[in-house]
Amino acid sequence: MIKPLKSALMLPAVALISLSAMAQTTGGQPKLVEKVTRKGTELVIPFEKYVLPNGLTVILAEDHSDPLVHVDITYHVGSAREEIGKSGFAHFFEHMMFQGSDHVANGDHFKIITEAGGTLNGSTNRDRTNYFETVPANQLEKMLWLESDRMGFLLDAVTQQKFEVQRATVKNERGQNYDNRPYGLSSEYTSKTLYPYGHPYSWLTIGYIEELNKVGVNDLKNFFLRWYGPNNATITIGGDLDPKQTLAWVTKYFGGIPRGPVVKNMSLPAPVLTADRYVSYTDNYAKLPLLAITYPGVKVYDKDMSALDALSEIIGQGRNSILYKNLVKTRKAAQASMSSSNTELAGEIGIRVLPFPGLTLADAKKTVDEAFAEFEKTGVSDEALTRFKASSEANYINSLSSVSGKASELAQAQYLTGEPNQIGRELADIRAVTKEDVIRVYNKYIKGKPAVILSVLPKGGTIQPVAPDNYTINTTGYKAPDYGYNGLTYHKATDNFDRSVKPGVGANPAIKVPAIWNATTPNGIKIIGTQNNEIPSVSMSITIKGGGLYAVNNPAKAGLAGMVARMMNEETKNYTAEQFSSELDKLGSDISVYAGNEDITVNVSSLTKNLPKTMQLLQEKLLSPKFTQDALDRLKKQTIEGLKQAKTQPAGVASSVYNKILYGTDNVRTYATGGNEETVAAITLQDVQDYYDNYFTPTETRIVVVGDVNEGTARGQLAFLNSWAAKKVTIPTPAGGKSFDKTTLYLVDIPGAAQSEIRIGYLDGLNYDATGEYYKLGIANYILGGAFNSHINLNLREKRGWTYGARSGFSSGKFGGDFTASAGVLATATDSSVVEFMKEIRNYRQNGITPEELKFTQTSIGQSDARRYETNAQKAAFLSRILDYDLKPTYVDEQNKILSTITPAEINALATKYLDTDKMVILVVGDKVRILPGLQKLGYPIVELDADGKPKQ
């Protein structure tokens, strides 16, 4: 989400209506409050803002660049509105809002939007809850009907069963994102130590399980009545819309919903610390300790907000920061960073250090203090300030590349300030920061100020906290506020139309595949591009084939491709890593290199105005890297510690071991790109240089160009590559995998795991084919495990509440593929989840797809084409596929023809051929003590493996 900034400045091209317009209007009509238009090339989102008589704020942002609309409803209620002792309720209620209303059956909300070719979700933070969907423009009226029905007609559709299923789902979400993840509880410990007892930021949005267990249906109903009135909501609609028609629809569907109780903005004093507060806990999954230091910061839009962002960047963000120089580059720590976060009621300034063995947490704290002392001595340079301003501006502009990004910006600014148009002031605030501002906020918020100092200790180790815990939460003197729950009554909307009739859709929007240009350089580089001037930004990806495949030639050096990519993000012949990063930041550009199983890719992002200078840096990065022993030693150390850490995370272990079961533990393709602890340790500086010298060649290079640049300019900027000397390479073919003649269950023990990770599947031997059997399998799998309302997810998540999400799918490239079904599930439901997975796959193979399901699949996938080409990233993915698989741009037309004409018989034949559960393997990663007895009852042979995929002795 875009981060709002501080003081108000002159706003562009705004027509402001008097504040009296905020009152109810006569005749039940919406009242125009504000209109913003664009003048010249200024960066602004044009919109109209209205208020309905019931208090609903409506923001319409007309944008015809893509045949899409994005609908966002933001309710000004987050975890900060929760009662003490009932944490997590705002987020839990978000889940309940997807469980149907009077005129929308349970499960139909997801089904209707998915069938419309849309995508949807909701999110909750401390201060607000929002619900959003992006759909083809012809589906807008239906979206407004859906959103209004759950705003006005929710409570009578709530049942105890729905309540219990979603409570279980939220518990799984907490397990997956907090309890089962390294350092997942660090923010929980910090929050309850930083804020006084009862402060609504003293608990996390996810809440505590024991408190969630205590709430009931009546709590839910009261929460809805108190906070979910139209007068506490903003609906923001952006995209390919007709403002007049859209406003009429909003008035029709939302206008009859009664106003809710008055909701006033909250304001609380910042937390006050009189001395350092030390706290610690033991983490079951962490391999390295963590030092987290947190100071009280400032609220959003505070005058000091941008200056604190600049301070955080100088001390602890990027290669030119003090913490990176003193801790990461010296190989004392795997990570060291500083950041400033800002929310409605308070802000936080945080420092995080993950020290390597040999540096105690007390030592890490000392190095942080030394970094502060260094900042006091060196101050703020002109270059540092330039870097901050340029990179911040570029990040802001790039965040507006999609209709959802624009709508999110307007919605956030509205609920926080009552004024949606904040872009001008936010950019002005960034540009206005001075050296004196940065020094001032350091002295005001950091120097000599007490903080919360958290030590996270790996389980079973001897590492000591920075200092003994010295803080006890004081609950005395707390007086709960009046939350306003007394006397609430449910008043349904009064409509003058039949709400039970689902709206139809308009004519299908015209889908335009981007206009494409192609070129080939004299030395064999293939280039493909498309121009898009929606935002003044350009993206490029330069892909060099080979990647991890070269490890087939020398398995003892597996991980070399990943190491080469990381080394290319370091020094060049004319720049140190810090200097290169500084030059990019001053342009607001980014050049990053990463390795994949089959290629190494250089990604480039630049504002259009800075493209020439960015390309000069690209030339340096790509053609003149400098590999040093110091960088190699540091990166090897980080990589090896990361590999050790990965073995403690159930999800990562499951994916890694699953591949080793399918391909064999000795098959280098399972660890070719990242390597393992032994192979990474064996990599030498000469290995890195040899890989670059031997395998980086224009003859295996492909370039994708997308954004605000035409073909001539793009080719001109890339002309430096014409002199890149070609060399012939032979890319090896990886060994195949294994097949199985009976189902075997493999088990990896992660003691204390709150959830179990399940992987079920096999290698299907299929290569990617855009219009063949592989494409058709994607259609066949959609209703089994591809869509949210697939058989698998509806069973395990929506019906039983055992998981936060379950899925299945076919994936492939040029060297075969697999079918995999997966989920993270409640530990106590592990064996039952395996049974249900296998049952759903077996039933689909035996019974096939129904005509209704096929129609849903065809409509959903077909309509989603409207979302395929919106952003630069989406366009780049489309073009990359054309290059990678030598496709014609018209392949999408062939896919649409296949989709529209495929029959149930064809899909059922594919299911019969490719979904044989007797030839699949089952992997379960979890707490053996809790889950083994249940798994033993399933009747499968059980093989225990370690976290490396090797049989346990």
Side-chain angles (χ1 to χ4, degrees):
M1 176 167 287
I2 297 163
K3 186 175 181 180
L5 300 172
K6 50 183 183 183
S7 59
L9 296 170
M10 184 71 68
L11 298 176
V14 182
L16 292 173
I17 312 301
S18 67
L19 291 177
S20 63
M22 298 297 291
Q24 292 189 12
T25 60
T26 58
Q29 295 301 308
K31 185 74 174 181
L32 177 65
V33 176
E34 182 180 350
K35 183 172 183 177
V36 172
T37 58
R38 178 181 287 113
K39 286 186 176 181
T41 59
E42 67 184 348
L43 186 64
V44 67
I45 305 171
F47 69 89
E48 298 174 1
K49 173 181 166 182
Y50 298 85
V51 175
L52 299 191
N54 59 8
L56 177 67
T57 298
V58 183
I59 301 172
L60 306 179
E62 186 178 5
D63 179 351
H64 300 292
S65 57
D66 294 283
L68 300 170
V69 289
H70 182 81
V71 179
D72 176 295
I73 294 195
T74 296
Y75 295 88
H76 197 174
V77 53
S79 57
R81 303 283 191 181
E82 293 168 348
E83 296 178 78
I84 188 75
K86 293 182 179 179
S87 64
F89 205 86
H91 170 254
F92 172 58
F93 189 84
E94 175 208 319
H95 281 247
M96 291 302 301
M97 283 281 278
F98 289 97
Q99 302 310 301
S101 48
D102 279 3
H103 308 99
V104 181
N106 186 22
D108 276 6
H109 197 100
F110 277 98
K111 182 179 180 181
I112 289 170
I113 295 177
T114 304
E115 188 172 24
T119 181
L120 72 155
N121 214 326
S123 69
T124 307
N125 63 26
R126 288 170 163 180
D127 306 316
R128 64 98 185 102
T129 306
N130 70 340
Y131 305 86
F132 49 91
E133 48 269 339
T134 304
V135 295
N138 63 325
Q139 302 285 345
L140 176 56
E141 183 182 6
K142 192 184 297 181
M143 298 305 105
L144 300 177
W145 170 75
L146 277 172
E147 290 291 357
S148 64
D149 206 65
R150 60 180 175 182
M151 178 188 282
F153 299 86
L154 179 79
L155 291 193
D156 288 344
V158 172
T159 65
Q160 189 68 39
Q161 181 183 8
K162 293 179 186 178
F163 186 88
E164 295 300 340
V165 167
Q166 291 310 309
R167 173 154 49 190
T169 300
V170 171
K171 292 179 183 178
N172 278 291
E173 183 178 355
R174 178 179 167 108
Q176 179 174 311
N177 294 336
Y178 296 87
D179 299 330
N180 232 28
R181 179 172 293 180
Y183 318 110
L185 298 177
S186 60
S187 55
E188 185 169 88
Y189 276 85
T190 295
S191 295
K192 65 184 180 182
T193 307
L194 176 63
Y195 296 99
Y197 178 78
H199 191 291
Y201 285 178
S202 62
W203 56 83
L204 299 187
T205 301
I206 195 69
Y208 297 103
I209 293 295
E210 60 270 22
E211 294 184 1
L212 195 60
N213 283 334
K214 296 176 183 178
V215 298
V217 172
N218 286 335
D219 295 299
L220 179 144
K221 292 183 177 181
N222 278 333
F223 195 86
F224 174 79
L225 294 173
R226 178 66 185 92
W227 305 111
Y228 272 71
N231 51 300
N232 196 37
T234 297
I235 180 167
T236 305
I237 309 168
D240 190 14
L241 58 87
D242 178 324
K244 185 176 180 180
Q245 177 62 76
T246 303
L247 186 61
W249 283 333
V250 172
T251 303
K252 173 182 177 180
Y253 291 110
F254 290 88
I257 301 174
R259 178 185 290 266
V262 174
V263 178
K264 296 181 180 179
N265 288 342
M266 299 173 64
S267 181
L268 294 173
V272 176
L273 308 183
T274 57
D276 286 336
R277 297 177 180 178
Y278 292 94
V279 62
S280 64
Y281 76 95
T282 300
D283 192 308
N284 290 332
Y285 304 103
K287 294 294 290 184
L288 294 176
L290 168 68
L291 168 67
I293 305 171
T294 306
Y295 298 88
V298 299
K299 304 175 184 179
V300 295
Y301 296 106
D302 186 274
K303 62 181 178 62
D304 290 339
M305 187 171 162
S306 290
L308 280 170
D309 288 339
L311 174 69
S312 298
E313 182 174 297
I314 292 167
I315 294 179
Q317 291 175 23
R319 295 178 185 275
N320 288 284
S321 68
I322 299 173
L323 290 178
Y324 180 89
K325 175 177 66 72
N326 293 355
L327 282 165
V328 178
K329 190 165 186 180
T330 57
R331 304 198 291 277
K332 294 179 180 178
Q335 297 177 25
S337 63
M338 179 175 174
S339 63
S340 174
S341 61
N342 317 91
T343 42
E344 186 175 11
L345 303 180
E348 298 169 17
I349 306 163
I351 296 165
R352 290 170 66 92
V353 179
L354 268 66
F356 281 130
L359 187 73
T360 68
L361 288 175
D363 291 336
K365 172 63 168 58
K366 183 179 179 182
T367 61
V368 172
D369 293 337
E370 291 169 350
F372 290 155
E374 182 176 338
F375 172 77
E376 292 180 28
K377 182 179 179 180
T378 59
V380 182
S381 68
D382 291 332
E383 188 173 87
L385 211 53
T386 299
R387 288 197 304 265
F388 165 73
K389 294 178 180 182
S391 59
S392 298
E393 179 179 355
N395 290 338
Y396 194 104
I397 290 173
N398 287 326
S399 72
L400 302 177
S401 64
S402 66
V403 65
S404 61
K406 297 181 183 79
S408 297
E409 160 67 16
L410 295 172
Q412 175 179 271
Q414 169 61 33
Y415 91 79
L416 285 171
T417 71
E419 166 48 62
N421 184 28
Q422 300 296 329
I423 293 178
R425 68 182 276 187
E426 292 181 41
L427 290 175
D429 288 343
I430 292 171
R431 296 162 181 159
V433 174
T434 66
K435 296 179 184 180
E436 291 74 20
D437 288 331
V438 179
I439 298 295
R440 177 178 53 78
V441 297
Y442 168 77
N443 290 328
K444 184 175 181 179
Y445 300 102
I446 302 293
K447 184 177 181 179
K449 301 298 187 294
V452 171
I453 302 171
L454 170 68
S455 302
V456 181
L457 312 174
K459 183 179 180 180
T462 59
I463 296 174
Q464 297 299 307
V466 174
D469 293 6
N470 69 347
Y471 179 72
T472 302
I473 297 173
N474 182 9
T475 62
T476 62
Y478 173 74
K479 183 179 180 181
D482 180 3
Y483 294 99
Y485 287 109
N486 294 328
L488 297 175
T489 56
Y490 184 29
H491 299 288
K492 286 191 179 182
T494 302
D495 294 321
N496 57 7
F497 64 95
D498 186 355
R499 188 177 281 270
S500 65
V501 178
K502 181 170 63 175
V505 298
N508 286 342
I511 310 300
K512 296 180 181 179
V513 174
I516 298 169
W517 56 266
N518 290 273
T520 302
T521 65
N523 52 359
I525 300 172
K526 292 183 179 180
I527 308 175
I528 189 170
T530 185
Q531 186 172 3
N532 169 34
N533 57 10
E534 189 172 342
I535 60 172
S537 179
V538 179
S539 297
M540 293 186 185
S541 64
I542 302 171
T543 301
I544 304 156
K545 292 183 180 180
L549 291 174
Y550 290 115
V552 172
N553 296 335
N554 190 358
K557 298 296 177 75
L560 179 56
M563 189 57 63
V564 169
R566 296 186 70 183
M567 290 285 281
M568 289 195 67
N569 288 316
E570 296 288 326
E571 296 183 39
T572 69
K573 291 180 180 177
N574 295 301
Y575 295 91
T576 66
E578 293 76 17
Q579 289 170 340
F580 196 91
S581 178
S582 178
E583 292 302 309
L584 284 174
D585 285 345
K586 286 188 287 187
L587 298 173
S589 300
D590 181 72
I591 300 175
S592 56
V593 187
Y594 68 92
N597 291 332
E598 299 177 13
D599 48 51
I600 286 180
T601 299
V602 184
N603 280 333
V604 183
S605 174
S606 173
L607 296 179
T608 306
K609 64 182 180 180
N610 293 331
L611 184 60
K613 292 182 179 178
T614 303
M615 300 310 287
Q616 291 174 12
L617 292 172
L618 172 64
Q619 180 177 359
E620 175 80 12
K621 173 74 70 178
L622 184 61
L623 301 184
S624 302
K626 181 181 179 182
F627 305 126
T628 67
Q629 190 65 49
D630 181 73
L632 179 62
D633 291 343
R634 170 167 42 84
L635 293 174
K636 284 171 62 174
K637 186 174 184 179
Q638 291 174 347
T639 301
I640 291 170
E641 287 299 331
L643 291 166
K644 292 178 181 178
Q645 177 69 72
K647 293 180 183 179
T648 71
Q649 301 177 59
V653 170
S655 297
S656 173
V657 172
Y658 177 68
N659 282 334
K660 291 177 180 179
I661 294 170
L662 295 183
Y663 290 103
T665 54
D666 295 329
N667 193 325
V668 70
R669 72 187 295 172
T670 66
Y671 60 100
T673 305
N676 59 38
E677 293 167 48
E678 292 76 25
T679 63
V680 170
I683 294 172
T684 68
L685 191 63
Q686 191 61 50
D687 293 327
V688 174
Q689 188 68 55
D690 288 346
Y691 186 106
Y692 175 82
D693 291 341
N694 294 333
Y695 302 138
F696 272 59
T697 173
T699 55
E700 296 295 342
T701 297
R702 307 290 183 266
I703 301 178
V704 176
V705 182
V706 177
D708 186 23
V709 61
N710 60 35
E711 176 184 357
T713 301
R715 293 181 63 178
Q717 292 295 327
L718 289 166
F720 69 88
L721 292 171
N722 294 341
S723 60
W724 187 11
K727 61 178 74 77
K728 186 176 180 180
V729 299
T730 300
I731 300 175
T733 300
K738 301 169 66 178
S739 59
F740 302 86
D741 55 8
K742 68 175 181 179
T743 302
T744 299
L745 192 152
Y746 297 87
L747 174 64
V748 178
D749 182 25
I750 304 287
Q755 285 186 305
S756 299
E757 288 288 336
I758 297 174
R759 303 289 186 272
I760 299 170
Y762 77 110
L763 296 178
D764 57 32
L766 279 174
N767 289 341
Y768 174 86
D769 185 342
T771 55
E773 201 161 64
Y774 175 75
Y775 172 70
K776 293 176 183 178
L777 280 169
I779 301 173
N781 176 72
Y782 194 74
I783 199 65
L784 171 63
F788 179 89
N789 51 313
S790 66
H791 295 179
I792 289 173
N793 194 56
L794 288 182
N795 185 344
L796 272 72
R797 171 177 162 144
E798 296 299 289
K799 181 180 179 180
R800 304 179 191 278
W802 291 342
T803 180
Y804 186 47
R807 64 209 60 85
S808 68
F810 292 87
S811 63
S812 190
K814 297 180 180 179
F815 303 101
D818 63 79
F819 168 80
T820 301
S822 63
V825 302
L826 191 67
T828 54
T830 302
D831 54 332
S832 301
S833 297
V834 171
V835 169
E836 293 303 318
F837 259 121
M838 298 298 278
K839 183 184 76 174
E840 290 293 353
I841 298 169
R842 191 178 299 115
N843 285 349
Y844 192 61
R845 183 175 191 250
Q846 294 173 351
N847 302 322
I849 194 169
T850 68
E852 293 77 16
E853 289 173 338
L854 177 55
K855 182 180 179 182
F856 166 81
T857 298
Q858 290 170 321
T859 305
S860 176
I861 297 176
Q863 289 276 326
S864 66
D865 270 357
R867 295 186 289 109
R868 184 179 283 189
Y869 315 112
E870 183 191 10
T871 66
N872 283 350
Q874 289 170 315
K875 291 182 176 73
F878 170 67
L879 299 184
S880 293
R881 183 160 285 115
I882 290 175
L883 275 188
D884 288 345
Y885 295 98
D886 194 24
L887 302 173
K888 296 179 181 179
T890 54
Y891 83 87
V892 294
D893 298 326
E894 297 177 54
Q895 288 184 337
N896 288 333
K897 183 177 180 180
I898 294 169
L899 177 65
S900 63
T901 59
I902 198 167
T903 65
E906 288 181 86
I907 287 180
N908 295 343
L910 289 169
T912 300
K913 181 178 179 181
Y914 287 99
L915 294 176
D916 186 353
T917 53
D918 293 331
K919 296 182 180 180
M920 296 183 185
V921 300
I922 302 169
L923 170 65
V924 178
V925 178
D927 186 344
K928 174 183 173 181
V929 173
R930 300 177 69 185
I931 65 178
L932 181 58
L935 294 174
Q936 289 172 327
K937 297 176 182 179
L938 302 184
Y940 299 113
I942 296 179
V943 177
E944 291 191 50
L945 305 174
D946 62 19
D948 289 315
K950 299 176 181 178
K952 295 192 73 171
Q953 302 300 321

